[in-house]
Amino acid sequence: MPKRTLQGVVVSDKTAKTVVVRVDRRFTHPIYKKTIRRSKNYHAHDENNEFKPGDMVWIEESKPISKLKRWVVIRGEHKKSA
């Protein structure tokens, strides 16, 4: 079974070797047929502390690394500064 991969935006990088990634999903409500947006935060392992808030990253599931971390950053795009 392949590992799940999600795309999201880094929200926080306060902890060492960890980033918090917000993953947004959109779906249609089963009764009202209206499009709804939901988001969820994931703690992901960032070995080199290279990603900052606002960066787009892809995370992949892994074995548990700590109490909250079960995801690893596999690649990302740095936010373009103005």
Side-chain angles (χ1 to χ4, degrees):
M1 179 180 240
K3 295 181 179 180
R4 288 188 298 164
T5 305
L6 299 174
Q7 177 184 2
V9 178
V10 176
V11 178
S12 171
D13 65 344
K14 302 272 187 218
T15 52
K17 297 187 179 185
T18 303
V19 290
V20 179
V21 180
R22 186 186 75 233
V23 176
D24 295 321
R25 66 186 183 96
R26 291 173 53 166
F27 63 96
T28 304
H29 191 280
I31 296 172
Y32 300 120
K33 308 302 183 203
K34 183 175 178 178
T35 302
I36 302 171
R37 289 192 306 176
R38 293 276 185 253
S39 63
K40 187 172 178 181
N41 287 342
Y42 295 93
H43 288 73
H45 185 66
D46 178 17
E47 182 65 37
N48 301 323
N49 291 322
E50 58 181 306
F51 296 106
K52 303 294 177 211
D55 294 345
M56 178 80 66
V57 294
W58 283 261
I59 57 176
E60 180 179 68
E61 19 175 37
S62 69
K63 64 181 185 178
I65 299 168
S66 68
K67 180 181 174 182
L68 295 174
K69 288 198 289 187
R70 275 98 173 107
W71 296 83
V72 176
V73 176
I74 51 173
R75 71 177 201 266
E77 299 172 358
H78 294 289
K79 180 175 72 171
K80 295 180 175 46
S81 57

